[in-house]
Amino acid sequence: MEFSYHNPTAIEFGVGQIKKLSNLIDKKQKVLVVYGGGSIKNNGVYDQVTKALENHEYLEFSGVEPNPTIETMNKAVKIVREEKIDFVLAVGGGSVIDGCKYLVAASLYDGDAWDFLDGSAEVEKALPLGVVLTLAATGSESNHLTVLSKKETDEKRMYFSNHSYPQFAIMDPSVMATLSDRQLGNGLVDAFVHTSEQYITHPTSTLVNDGYAETLFRGLVKLANTWEDRRTHTWLENLMHIANQALNFQIGSGVPQDWSTHLIGHELTAYYNLDHARSLAVVQPYLLEVMHEDKKEKIAQLGENVFGISNDNKAVIKAIEDVYNKVGVPTKLSEYVIDDKVIENVSSALTKNGYTAMGENGNITLDKVATILTMSMK
């Protein structure tokens, strides 16, 4: 085991924590509050945030879409620069947070900030960022990953930067009570796949990582099995906590990782606007089948320690699908409106982005991607 791990984001978890905003942001700082379609005005979050900021100078920017685009976020960049904003507050889920991670870096960058996403430049500085989380899924509230799309070219890319960590994340599970079943189901699936990408590779000696990942898996399985309780506070706070822990990259420290399900899923989202979690659910089961020889030992370990399944890896993969189906997330691409160019589109995008040999062993090639997508469409 060799790794470096640092996470500077302060977590404020629990009911009523939004009021702490008033002390978490310096009153001398001019704040831009960024949010999405306006649901925060219906669930009480907006009122709590504005109450907490009543002694601060702040402006608002709304309209950040699911799968945020640079086209939208560049409008916010203009506001930050013109109004001399000192601090950005993201109020929302992963899309708003990722959009704001781009915003705080792009606002201090002289060039086209898509450079961060195509790999031609690295973030060297950024404005401070805080988060009020309203939707549990991505873990973006306390990690250094940013995912953004460019509508003009149907691209979805990502980058890592230590400048992207929020200073704090306020996580009040009660604000998720008004989310739709679709949003809650997506969040659970997203957390499950995030954990999988850092676990289902090949055996390691890292007892802490494996043990903690399996704890997260078991928690998510229990939440799926108690889907009827999804409106209870206990259910919601556990989803919010697990989703955060699934992608703060602690369980990935010092172990092999395989993010190919995400890379393929990103292209399905870019071309066909699938929800992020749903793009993962239609890829992962078939990827596990195609790559079974590489991953058979960890699939078996997952089966034994999470699902109580011994010596039957097909049943383990089926059990994963069942988790997704229990929360209303399909595992077949054929459930969506997809044209006959899906393999061509995904393959050409992966090639353009340099992802032609993915996976922990670098052997998930484009022919395997074609097989995975074909299986998902049957």
Side-chain angles (χ1 to χ4, degrees), residues 135-139 176 179-196 216-230 235-236 238-240 242-244 246 262 276-278 280-281 284 307 319-329:
L135 190 156
T138 67
M176 297 200 299
L179 294 178
S180 67
D181 286 353
R182 186 185 185 103
Q183 289 170 309
L184 292 176
N186 283 353
L188 191 150
V189 170
D190 206 5
F192 198 101
V193 180
H194 287 159
T195 308
S196 300
L216 299 179
F217 280 131
R218 285 192 293 269
L220 292 167
V221 170
K222 183 173 183 178
L223 293 180
N225 288 338
T226 57
W227 182 240
E228 68 277 7
D229 298 328
R230 61 194 177 277
W235 197 99
L236 293 170
N238 274 293
L239 177 61
M240 182 172 267
I242 292 171
N244 173 265
H262 272 73
H276 172 62
R278 290 171 183 250
L280 304 178
Q284 188 199 32
F307 293 107
I320 294 172
E321 290 190 76
D322 288 344
V323 168
Y324 302 164
N325 290 328
K326 284 176 182 176
V327 300
V329 178

Short mmCIF file of all heavy atoms in Angstrom, two decimals, residues 135-139 176 179-196 216-230 235-236 238-240 242-244 246 262 276-278 280-281 284 307 319-329:
data_model
loop_
_atom_site.label_atom_id
_atom_site.label_comp_id
_atom_site.label_asym_id
_atom_site.label_seq_id
_atom_site.Cartn_x
_atom_site.Cartn_y
_atom_site.Cartn_z
N LEU A 135 -29.07 17.00 -2.65
CA LEU A 135 -29.33 15.72 -3.30
C LEU A 135 -28.10 14.83 -3.15
O LEU A 135 -27.00 15.23 -3.50
CB LEU A 135 -29.65 15.95 -4.79
CG LEU A 135 -30.17 14.79 -5.62
CD1 LEU A 135 -30.95 15.33 -6.83
CD2 LEU A 135 -29.04 13.90 -6.12
N ALA A 136 -28.29 13.64 -2.59
CA ALA A 136 -27.17 12.75 -2.32
C ALA A 136 -26.95 11.82 -3.51
O ALA A 136 -27.86 11.12 -3.93
CB ALA A 136 -27.45 11.91 -1.07
N ALA A 137 -25.74 11.82 -4.04
CA ALA A 137 -25.44 10.94 -5.17
C ALA A 137 -23.95 10.92 -5.48
O ALA A 137 -23.30 9.89 -5.38
CB ALA A 137 -26.23 11.36 -6.42
N THR A 138 -23.42 12.08 -5.86
CA THR A 138 -22.11 12.10 -6.52
C THR A 138 -20.93 12.17 -5.57
O THR A 138 -19.81 11.86 -5.97
CB THR A 138 -22.02 13.33 -7.45
OG1 THR A 138 -22.04 14.52 -6.65
CG2 THR A 138 -23.20 13.36 -8.41
N GLY A 139 -21.13 12.63 -4.34
CA GLY A 139 -19.99 12.84 -3.45
C GLY A 139 -19.19 14.08 -3.80
O GLY A 139 -18.15 14.36 -3.19
N MET A 176 -33.93 16.45 1.60
CA MET A 176 -34.17 15.51 0.50
C MET A 176 -35.58 14.93 0.53
O MET A 176 -35.94 14.16 -0.36
CB MET A 176 -33.16 14.37 0.54
CG MET A 176 -31.72 14.79 0.34
SD MET A 176 -30.68 13.42 -0.17
CE MET A 176 -30.87 12.31 1.23
N LEU A 179 -37.58 15.23 -2.68
CA LEU A 179 -37.03 14.73 -3.95
C LEU A 179 -37.94 13.67 -4.56
O LEU A 179 -38.66 12.96 -3.85
CB LEU A 179 -35.64 14.14 -3.73
CG LEU A 179 -34.53 15.10 -3.30
CD1 LEU A 179 -33.24 14.33 -3.07
CD2 LEU A 179 -34.32 16.18 -4.35
N SER A 180 -37.88 13.54 -5.87
CA SER A 180 -38.67 12.52 -6.56
C SER A 180 -38.06 11.14 -6.34
O SER A 180 -36.88 11.01 -5.98
CB SER A 180 -38.72 12.81 -8.06
OG SER A 180 -37.42 12.65 -8.63
N ASP A 181 -38.86 10.11 -6.55
CA ASP A 181 -38.35 8.74 -6.48
C ASP A 181 -37.21 8.55 -7.47
O ASP A 181 -36.24 7.84 -7.18
CB ASP A 181 -39.46 7.73 -6.78
CG ASP A 181 -40.44 7.58 -5.64
OD1 ASP A 181 -40.19 8.15 -4.56
OD2 ASP A 181 -41.45 6.88 -5.82
N ARG A 182 -37.32 9.16 -8.63
CA ARG A 182 -36.26 9.04 -9.64
C ARG A 182 -34.94 9.59 -9.11
O ARG A 182 -33.88 8.96 -9.27
CB ARG A 182 -36.67 9.79 -10.91
CG ARG A 182 -35.70 9.63 -12.08
CD ARG A 182 -36.12 10.51 -13.25
NE ARG A 182 -35.29 10.29 -14.43
CZ ARG A 182 -35.65 9.57 -15.49
NH1 ARG A 182 -36.84 8.99 -15.52
NH2 ARG A 182 -34.84 9.44 -16.53
N GLN A 183 -34.98 10.73 -8.43
CA GLN A 183 -33.76 11.32 -7.91
C GLN A 183 -33.15 10.47 -6.79
O GLN A 183 -31.94 10.29 -6.72
CB GLN A 183 -34.04 12.74 -7.40
CG GLN A 183 -34.32 13.74 -8.52
CD GLN A 183 -34.84 15.05 -7.99
OE1 GLN A 183 -35.79 15.10 -7.20
NE2 GLN A 183 -34.22 16.15 -8.41
N LEU A 184 -34.00 9.92 -5.93
CA LEU A 184 -33.50 9.08 -4.85
C LEU A 184 -32.92 7.78 -5.39
O LEU A 184 -31.85 7.32 -4.95
CB LEU A 184 -34.62 8.78 -3.85
CG LEU A 184 -35.13 9.96 -3.03
CD1 LEU A 184 -36.31 9.53 -2.16
CD2 LEU A 184 -34.03 10.55 -2.16
N GLY A 185 -33.61 7.17 -6.36
CA GLY A 185 -33.10 5.94 -6.97
C GLY A 185 -31.79 6.17 -7.68
O GLY A 185 -30.85 5.37 -7.57
N ASN A 186 -31.71 7.27 -8.42
CA ASN A 186 -30.47 7.61 -9.11
C ASN A 186 -29.32 7.78 -8.12
O ASN A 186 -28.19 7.34 -8.36
CB ASN A 186 -30.63 8.91 -9.90
CG ASN A 186 -31.39 8.73 -11.20
OD1 ASN A 186 -31.69 7.60 -11.61
ND2 ASN A 186 -31.70 9.82 -11.86
N GLY A 187 -29.60 8.43 -6.99
CA GLY A 187 -28.55 8.66 -6.00
C GLY A 187 -28.02 7.36 -5.43
O GLY A 187 -26.80 7.20 -5.26
N LEU A 188 -28.90 6.42 -5.15
CA LEU A 188 -28.47 5.13 -4.61
C LEU A 188 -27.61 4.38 -5.62
O LEU A 188 -26.55 3.83 -5.28
CB LEU A 188 -29.70 4.30 -4.21
CG LEU A 188 -29.43 3.04 -3.39
CD1 LEU A 188 -30.61 2.74 -2.48
CD2 LEU A 188 -29.15 1.83 -4.28
N VAL A 189 -28.05 4.35 -6.88
CA VAL A 189 -27.29 3.65 -7.92
C VAL A 189 -25.93 4.31 -8.13
O VAL A 189 -24.90 3.64 -8.26
CB VAL A 189 -28.08 3.62 -9.25
CG1 VAL A 189 -27.22 3.12 -10.39
CG2 VAL A 189 -29.32 2.75 -9.10
N ASP A 190 -25.91 5.62 -8.15
CA ASP A 190 -24.65 6.35 -8.33
C ASP A 190 -23.66 5.97 -7.24
O ASP A 190 -22.48 5.69 -7.51
CB ASP A 190 -24.93 7.86 -8.29
CG ASP A 190 -23.90 8.67 -9.06
OD1 ASP A 190 -23.01 8.07 -9.70
OD2 ASP A 190 -24.00 9.91 -9.03
N ALA A 191 -24.11 5.94 -6.00
CA ALA A 191 -23.23 5.59 -4.89
C ALA A 191 -22.74 4.15 -5.00
O ALA A 191 -21.58 3.85 -4.69
CB ALA A 191 -23.96 5.80 -3.56
N PHE A 192 -23.62 3.25 -5.44
CA PHE A 192 -23.23 1.84 -5.58
C PHE A 192 -22.14 1.69 -6.64
O PHE A 192 -21.14 0.98 -6.44
CB PHE A 192 -24.45 0.99 -5.95
CG PHE A 192 -24.26 -0.48 -5.70
CD1 PHE A 192 -24.80 -1.09 -4.58
CD2 PHE A 192 -23.53 -1.28 -6.58
CE1 PHE A 192 -24.64 -2.44 -4.32
CE2 PHE A 192 -23.35 -2.63 -6.33
CZ PHE A 192 -23.90 -3.22 -5.21
N VAL A 193 -22.30 2.37 -7.77
CA VAL A 193 -21.31 2.25 -8.84
C VAL A 193 -20.01 2.95 -8.45
O VAL A 193 -18.91 2.47 -8.77
CB VAL A 193 -21.85 2.77 -10.18
CG1 VAL A 193 -20.80 2.62 -11.28
CG2 VAL A 193 -23.12 2.01 -10.59
N HIS A 194 -20.10 4.07 -7.77
CA HIS A 194 -18.87 4.74 -7.29
C HIS A 194 -18.06 3.79 -6.42
O HIS A 194 -16.83 3.69 -6.56
CB HIS A 194 -19.22 5.99 -6.49
CG HIS A 194 -19.70 7.13 -7.33
ND1 HIS A 194 -20.44 8.17 -6.83
CD2 HIS A 194 -19.53 7.40 -8.65
CE1 HIS A 194 -20.71 9.03 -7.80
NE2 HIS A 194 -20.17 8.58 -8.91
N THR A 195 -18.74 3.11 -5.52
CA THR A 195 -18.05 2.15 -4.66
C THR A 195 -17.47 1.00 -5.48
O THR A 195 -16.33 0.57 -5.26
CB THR A 195 -19.01 1.61 -3.59
OG1 THR A 195 -19.64 2.70 -2.91
CG2 THR A 195 -18.28 0.76 -2.56
N SER A 196 -18.23 0.55 -6.45
CA SER A 196 -17.79 -0.56 -7.31
C SER A 196 -16.52 -0.24 -8.08
O SER A 196 -15.63 -1.09 -8.22
CB SER A 196 -18.90 -0.92 -8.32
OG SER A 196 -20.09 -1.30 -7.69
N LEU A 216 -20.28 -0.02 2.90
CA LEU A 216 -21.08 0.88 2.07
C LEU A 216 -22.04 0.08 1.18
O LEU A 216 -23.22 0.43 1.05
CB LEU A 216 -20.18 1.77 1.23
CG LEU A 216 -19.22 2.70 1.99
CD1 LEU A 216 -18.37 3.50 1.02
CD2 LEU A 216 -19.97 3.63 2.93
N PHE A 217 -21.53 -0.98 0.55
CA PHE A 217 -22.38 -1.84 -0.28
C PHE A 217 -23.56 -2.39 0.53
O PHE A 217 -24.71 -2.34 0.07
CB PHE A 217 -21.58 -3.03 -0.82
CG PHE A 217 -20.72 -2.74 -2.02
CD1 PHE A 217 -19.39 -3.13 -2.04
CD2 PHE A 217 -21.23 -2.10 -3.14
CE1 PHE A 217 -18.59 -2.89 -3.14
CE2 PHE A 217 -20.44 -1.85 -4.26
CZ PHE A 217 -19.11 -2.25 -4.25
N ARG A 218 -23.27 -2.93 1.71
CA ARG A 218 -24.34 -3.52 2.52
C ARG A 218 -25.38 -2.47 2.91
O ARG A 218 -26.59 -2.75 2.94
CB ARG A 218 -23.75 -4.19 3.77
CG ARG A 218 -23.07 -5.52 3.47
CD ARG A 218 -22.76 -6.29 4.75
NE ARG A 218 -21.76 -5.62 5.56
CZ ARG A 218 -20.45 -5.84 5.47
NH1 ARG A 218 -19.97 -6.71 4.58
NH2 ARG A 218 -19.60 -5.19 6.25
N GLY A 219 -24.91 -1.26 3.20
CA GLY A 219 -25.84 -0.19 3.51
C GLY A 219 -26.76 0.13 2.35
O GLY A 219 -27.97 0.31 2.52
N LEU A 220 -26.20 0.20 1.15
CA LEU A 220 -26.99 0.52 -0.04
C LEU A 220 -27.98 -0.60 -0.36
O LEU A 220 -29.12 -0.35 -0.77
CB LEU A 220 -26.07 0.78 -1.23
CG LEU A 220 -25.23 2.06 -1.11
CD1 LEU A 220 -24.12 2.08 -2.15
CD2 LEU A 220 -26.10 3.30 -1.24
N VAL A 221 -27.55 -1.85 -0.17
CA VAL A 221 -28.46 -2.98 -0.39
C VAL A 221 -29.62 -2.91 0.60
O VAL A 221 -30.78 -3.14 0.24
CB VAL A 221 -27.70 -4.33 -0.25
CG1 VAL A 221 -28.69 -5.50 -0.23
CG2 VAL A 221 -26.70 -4.50 -1.39
N LYS A 222 -29.32 -2.58 1.86
CA LYS A 222 -30.38 -2.45 2.86
C LYS A 222 -31.35 -1.34 2.48
O LYS A 222 -32.58 -1.49 2.63
CB LYS A 222 -29.78 -2.19 4.23
CG LYS A 222 -30.83 -2.13 5.34
CD LYS A 222 -30.19 -2.04 6.72
CE LYS A 222 -31.28 -2.06 7.82
NZ LYS A 222 -30.68 -2.03 9.17
N LEU A 223 -30.83 -0.22 1.99
CA LEU A 223 -31.71 0.88 1.57
C LEU A 223 -32.58 0.47 0.39
O LEU A 223 -33.77 0.82 0.33
CB LEU A 223 -30.88 2.11 1.22
CG LEU A 223 -30.13 2.79 2.37
CD1 LEU A 223 -29.36 4.01 1.85
CD2 LEU A 223 -31.07 3.20 3.50
N ALA A 224 -32.01 -0.27 -0.55
CA ALA A 224 -32.81 -0.76 -1.69
C ALA A 224 -33.89 -1.73 -1.22
O ALA A 224 -35.03 -1.71 -1.71
CB ALA A 224 -31.91 -1.43 -2.72
N ASN A 225 -33.54 -2.57 -0.24
CA ASN A 225 -34.51 -3.55 0.27
C ASN A 225 -35.58 -2.92 1.14
O ASN A 225 -36.61 -3.55 1.42
CB ASN A 225 -33.78 -4.64 1.06
CG ASN A 225 -32.98 -5.56 0.17
OD1 ASN A 225 -33.24 -5.68 -1.02
ND2 ASN A 225 -31.98 -6.22 0.74
N THR A 226 -35.35 -1.69 1.59
CA THR A 226 -36.34 -0.96 2.38
C THR A 226 -36.81 0.29 1.63
O THR A 226 -37.06 1.33 2.23
CB THR A 226 -35.77 -0.58 3.76
OG1 THR A 226 -34.57 0.20 3.58
CG2 THR A 226 -35.43 -1.82 4.58
N TRP A 227 -36.91 0.17 0.33
CA TRP A 227 -37.30 1.28 -0.54
C TRP A 227 -38.61 1.92 -0.09
O TRP A 227 -38.82 3.13 -0.25
CB TRP A 227 -37.41 0.77 -1.97
CG TRP A 227 -37.76 1.77 -3.03
CD1 TRP A 227 -38.85 1.73 -3.85
CD2 TRP A 227 -37.03 2.94 -3.43
NE1 TRP A 227 -38.85 2.78 -4.72
CE2 TRP A 227 -37.73 3.54 -4.50
CE3 TRP A 227 -35.84 3.52 -3.00
CZ2 TRP A 227 -37.30 4.70 -5.13
CZ3 TRP A 227 -35.40 4.69 -3.63
CH2 TRP A 227 -36.13 5.26 -4.67
N GLU A 228 -39.49 1.13 0.50
CA GLU A 228 -40.77 1.66 0.97
C GLU A 228 -40.59 2.68 2.09
O GLU A 228 -41.49 3.47 2.39
CB GLU A 228 -41.70 0.52 1.43
CG GLU A 228 -41.25 -0.21 2.69
CD GLU A 228 -40.22 -1.30 2.43
OE1 GLU A 228 -39.74 -1.42 1.28
OE2 GLU A 228 -39.91 -2.05 3.38
N ASP A 229 -39.40 2.70 2.73
CA ASP A 229 -39.12 3.64 3.82
C ASP A 229 -38.37 4.88 3.35
O ASP A 229 -37.86 5.66 4.18
CB ASP A 229 -38.29 2.95 4.91
CG ASP A 229 -39.02 1.78 5.55
OD1 ASP A 229 -40.26 1.84 5.65
OD2 ASP A 229 -38.35 0.81 5.95
N ARG A 230 -38.31 5.09 2.05
CA ARG A 230 -37.43 6.11 1.49
C ARG A 230 -37.79 7.54 1.91
O ARG A 230 -36.99 8.46 1.72
CB ARG A 230 -37.40 6.01 -0.04
CG ARG A 230 -38.74 6.21 -0.71
CD ARG A 230 -38.67 5.75 -2.18
NE ARG A 230 -39.95 5.84 -2.87
CZ ARG A 230 -40.89 4.91 -2.81
NH1 ARG A 230 -40.73 3.84 -2.06
NH2 ARG A 230 -42.02 5.04 -3.49
N TRP A 235 -33.73 6.73 6.62
CA TRP A 235 -33.38 6.26 5.27
C TRP A 235 -32.61 7.35 4.54
O TRP A 235 -31.55 7.10 3.95
CB TRP A 235 -34.64 5.88 4.51
CG TRP A 235 -34.42 5.02 3.29
CD1 TRP A 235 -34.56 3.68 3.20
CD2 TRP A 235 -34.03 5.47 1.98
NE1 TRP A 235 -34.28 3.25 1.92
CE2 TRP A 235 -33.94 4.33 1.15
CE3 TRP A 235 -33.73 6.71 1.42
CZ2 TRP A 235 -33.59 4.39 -0.20
CZ3 TRP A 235 -33.36 6.78 0.07
CH2 TRP A 235 -33.29 5.63 -0.72
N LEU A 236 -33.11 8.57 4.59
CA LEU A 236 -32.50 9.68 3.85
C LEU A 236 -31.12 10.03 4.38
O LEU A 236 -30.19 10.29 3.61
CB LEU A 236 -33.42 10.90 3.89
CG LEU A 236 -34.75 10.78 3.14
CD1 LEU A 236 -35.65 11.97 3.47
CD2 LEU A 236 -34.52 10.68 1.64
N ASN A 238 -29.03 8.09 5.88
CA ASN A 238 -28.07 7.05 5.52
C ASN A 238 -27.66 7.13 4.06
O ASN A 238 -26.48 6.94 3.73
CB ASN A 238 -28.64 5.68 5.86
CG ASN A 238 -28.38 5.29 7.30
OD1 ASN A 238 -27.24 5.08 7.70
ND2 ASN A 238 -29.44 5.23 8.10
N LEU A 239 -28.61 7.43 3.18
CA LEU A 239 -28.23 7.60 1.77
C LEU A 239 -27.27 8.77 1.62
O LEU A 239 -26.26 8.67 0.92
CB LEU A 239 -29.47 7.82 0.90
CG LEU A 239 -29.15 8.07 -0.58
CD1 LEU A 239 -28.42 6.88 -1.21
CD2 LEU A 239 -30.42 8.40 -1.38
N MET A 240 -27.55 9.88 2.29
CA MET A 240 -26.69 11.06 2.17
C MET A 240 -25.29 10.76 2.68
O MET A 240 -24.29 11.15 2.08
CB MET A 240 -27.30 12.24 2.92
CG MET A 240 -26.51 13.52 2.81
SD MET A 240 -27.35 14.98 3.50
CE MET A 240 -28.19 15.63 2.05
N ILE A 242 -23.80 7.68 3.05
CA ILE A 242 -23.13 6.67 2.23
C ILE A 242 -22.64 7.26 0.91
O ILE A 242 -21.51 7.02 0.48
CB ILE A 242 -24.05 5.47 1.97
CG1 ILE A 242 -24.31 4.71 3.27
CG2 ILE A 242 -23.42 4.51 0.95
CD1 ILE A 242 -25.39 3.63 3.16
N ALA A 243 -23.50 8.06 0.25
CA ALA A 243 -23.11 8.64 -1.03
C ALA A 243 -21.89 9.53 -0.88
O ALA A 243 -21.02 9.56 -1.76
CB ALA A 243 -24.28 9.43 -1.62
N ASN A 244 -21.79 10.23 0.23
CA ASN A 244 -20.62 11.06 0.48
C ASN A 244 -19.36 10.21 0.65
O ASN A 244 -18.31 10.49 0.06
CB ASN A 244 -20.85 11.91 1.74
CG ASN A 244 -19.61 12.67 2.15
OD1 ASN A 244 -18.85 12.22 3.01
ND2 ASN A 244 -19.39 13.82 1.53
N ALA A 246 -18.85 7.22 -0.43
CA ALA A 246 -18.55 6.41 -1.61
C ALA A 246 -17.60 7.10 -2.57
O ALA A 246 -16.90 6.44 -3.34
CB ALA A 246 -19.85 6.05 -2.32
N HIS A 262 -17.99 4.53 -15.86
CA HIS A 262 -18.26 5.96 -15.92
C HIS A 262 -17.88 6.55 -17.27
O HIS A 262 -18.62 7.39 -17.81
CB HIS A 262 -17.49 6.68 -14.81
CG HIS A 262 -18.24 6.75 -13.52
ND1 HIS A 262 -18.42 5.67 -12.71
CD2 HIS A 262 -18.87 7.80 -12.90
CE1 HIS A 262 -19.13 6.02 -11.64
NE2 HIS A 262 -19.41 7.31 -11.74
N HIS A 276 -27.18 10.57 -15.29
CA HIS A 276 -25.87 9.98 -15.05
C HIS A 276 -25.96 8.57 -14.46
O HIS A 276 -25.36 7.63 -14.97
CB HIS A 276 -25.06 10.89 -14.11
CG HIS A 276 -23.77 10.30 -13.65
ND1 HIS A 276 -22.75 9.96 -14.53
CD2 HIS A 276 -23.33 9.96 -12.41
CE1 HIS A 276 -21.74 9.45 -13.84
NE2 HIS A 276 -22.07 9.44 -12.56
N ALA A 277 -26.74 8.42 -13.40
CA ALA A 277 -26.83 7.11 -12.75
C ALA A 277 -27.42 6.07 -13.69
O ALA A 277 -27.02 4.90 -13.67
CB ALA A 277 -27.67 7.22 -11.48
N ARG A 278 -28.36 6.47 -14.51
CA ARG A 278 -29.00 5.53 -15.43
C ARG A 278 -28.04 5.09 -16.54
O ARG A 278 -28.12 3.96 -17.02
CB ARG A 278 -30.29 6.13 -15.97
CG ARG A 278 -31.33 6.21 -14.88
CD ARG A 278 -32.59 6.98 -15.20
NE ARG A 278 -33.40 6.97 -13.99
CZ ARG A 278 -34.55 6.30 -13.84
NH1 ARG A 278 -35.05 5.62 -14.86
NH2 ARG A 278 -35.20 6.33 -12.70
N LEU A 280 -24.95 4.61 -15.99
CA LEU A 280 -24.07 3.64 -15.33
C LEU A 280 -24.77 2.29 -15.21
O LEU A 280 -24.14 1.24 -15.39
CB LEU A 280 -23.68 4.15 -13.94
CG LEU A 280 -23.02 5.52 -13.86
CD1 LEU A 280 -22.75 5.90 -12.40
CD2 LEU A 280 -21.73 5.56 -14.67
N ALA A 281 -26.05 2.32 -14.89
CA ALA A 281 -26.79 1.08 -14.65
C ALA A 281 -26.95 0.23 -15.91
O ALA A 281 -27.08 -1.00 -15.82
CB ALA A 281 -28.17 1.40 -14.07
N GLN A 284 -22.80 -1.19 -16.37
CA GLN A 284 -22.03 -1.98 -15.40
C GLN A 284 -22.29 -3.49 -15.41
O GLN A 284 -21.34 -4.28 -15.44
CB GLN A 284 -22.25 -1.44 -13.99
CG GLN A 284 -21.32 -2.10 -12.97
CD GLN A 284 -21.81 -1.94 -11.54
OE1 GLN A 284 -23.01 -1.90 -11.28
NE2 GLN A 284 -20.88 -1.84 -10.61
N PHE A 307 -23.78 -10.00 -0.43
CA PHE A 307 -25.06 -10.61 -0.79
C PHE A 307 -25.27 -12.00 -0.19
O PHE A 307 -26.37 -12.55 -0.29
CB PHE A 307 -25.18 -10.71 -2.32
CG PHE A 307 -25.27 -9.38 -3.01
CD1 PHE A 307 -24.20 -8.87 -3.73
CD2 PHE A 307 -26.43 -8.63 -2.95
CE1 PHE A 307 -24.28 -7.65 -4.39
CE2 PHE A 307 -26.54 -7.41 -3.59
CZ PHE A 307 -25.46 -6.91 -4.31
N ALA A 319 -27.74 -9.99 -8.71
CA ALA A 319 -28.11 -9.32 -7.46
C ALA A 319 -27.86 -7.81 -7.55
O ALA A 319 -28.64 -7.01 -7.00
CB ALA A 319 -27.33 -9.92 -6.30
N ILE A 320 -26.78 -7.42 -8.23
CA ILE A 320 -26.52 -5.99 -8.44
C ILE A 320 -27.64 -5.37 -9.27
O ILE A 320 -28.17 -4.31 -8.95
CB ILE A 320 -25.16 -5.78 -9.13
CG1 ILE A 320 -24.01 -6.22 -8.22
CG2 ILE A 320 -24.98 -4.31 -9.52
CD1 ILE A 320 -22.65 -6.22 -8.88
N GLU A 321 -28.01 -6.05 -10.35
CA GLU A 321 -29.13 -5.57 -11.17
C GLU A 321 -30.41 -5.44 -10.36
O GLU A 321 -31.18 -4.48 -10.53
CB GLU A 321 -29.35 -6.50 -12.36
CG GLU A 321 -28.27 -6.46 -13.42
CD GLU A 321 -28.68 -7.22 -14.68
OE1 GLU A 321 -29.50 -6.67 -15.44
OE2 GLU A 321 -28.21 -8.35 -14.88
N ASP A 322 -30.64 -6.39 -9.49
CA ASP A 322 -31.85 -6.36 -8.66
C ASP A 322 -31.87 -5.14 -7.76
O ASP A 322 -32.93 -4.55 -7.51
CB ASP A 322 -31.95 -7.63 -7.82
CG ASP A 322 -32.32 -8.87 -8.65
OD1 ASP A 322 -32.77 -8.69 -9.79
OD2 ASP A 322 -32.14 -9.99 -8.14
N VAL A 323 -30.70 -4.76 -7.23
CA VAL A 323 -30.61 -3.54 -6.41
C VAL A 323 -31.10 -2.35 -7.21
O VAL A 323 -31.92 -1.54 -6.73
CB VAL A 323 -29.17 -3.31 -5.91
CG1 VAL A 323 -29.02 -1.92 -5.31
CG2 VAL A 323 -28.77 -4.37 -4.89
N TYR A 324 -30.63 -2.23 -8.44
CA TYR A 324 -31.00 -1.09 -9.27
C TYR A 324 -32.49 -1.13 -9.63
O TYR A 324 -33.18 -0.11 -9.59
CB TYR A 324 -30.15 -1.06 -10.55
CG TYR A 324 -28.66 -1.00 -10.30
CD1 TYR A 324 -27.75 -1.28 -11.31
CD2 TYR A 324 -28.14 -0.64 -9.06
CE1 TYR A 324 -26.37 -1.22 -11.10
CE2 TYR A 324 -26.78 -0.58 -8.83
CZ TYR A 324 -25.90 -0.87 -9.84
OH TYR A 324 -24.55 -0.81 -9.62
N ASN A 325 -32.97 -2.32 -9.97
CA ASN A 325 -34.37 -2.44 -10.36
C ASN A 325 -35.31 -2.15 -9.19
O ASN A 325 -36.40 -1.60 -9.38
CB ASN A 325 -34.65 -3.84 -10.90
CG ASN A 325 -33.98 -4.07 -12.25
OD1 ASN A 325 -33.82 -3.15 -13.04
ND2 ASN A 325 -33.57 -5.29 -12.53
N LYS A 326 -34.91 -2.49 -7.98
CA LYS A 326 -35.74 -2.24 -6.80
C LYS A 326 -35.98 -0.76 -6.58
O LYS A 326 -37.00 -0.37 -5.99
CB LYS A 326 -35.10 -2.86 -5.56
CG LYS A 326 -35.26 -4.37 -5.46
CD LYS A 326 -34.51 -4.92 -4.26
CE LYS A 326 -34.63 -6.45 -4.20
NZ LYS A 326 -33.83 -7.02 -3.08
N VAL A 327 -35.05 0.07 -7.03
CA VAL A 327 -35.22 1.53 -6.84
C VAL A 327 -35.64 2.20 -8.15
O VAL A 327 -35.54 3.42 -8.29
CB VAL A 327 -33.94 2.17 -6.27
CG1 VAL A 327 -33.61 1.54 -4.91
CG2 VAL A 327 -32.75 2.03 -7.21
N GLY A 328 -36.12 1.40 -9.09
CA GLY A 328 -36.71 1.94 -10.31
C GLY A 328 -35.75 2.37 -11.39
O GLY A 328 -36.11 3.17 -12.26
N VAL A 329 -34.52 1.84 -11.36
CA VAL A 329 -33.53 2.22 -12.38
C VAL A 329 -33.30 1.03 -13.32
O VAL A 329 -32.81 -0.01 -12.88
CB VAL A 329 -32.20 2.65 -11.72
CG1 VAL A 329 -31.17 2.99 -12.79
CG2 VAL A 329 -32.43 3.86 -10.80
#
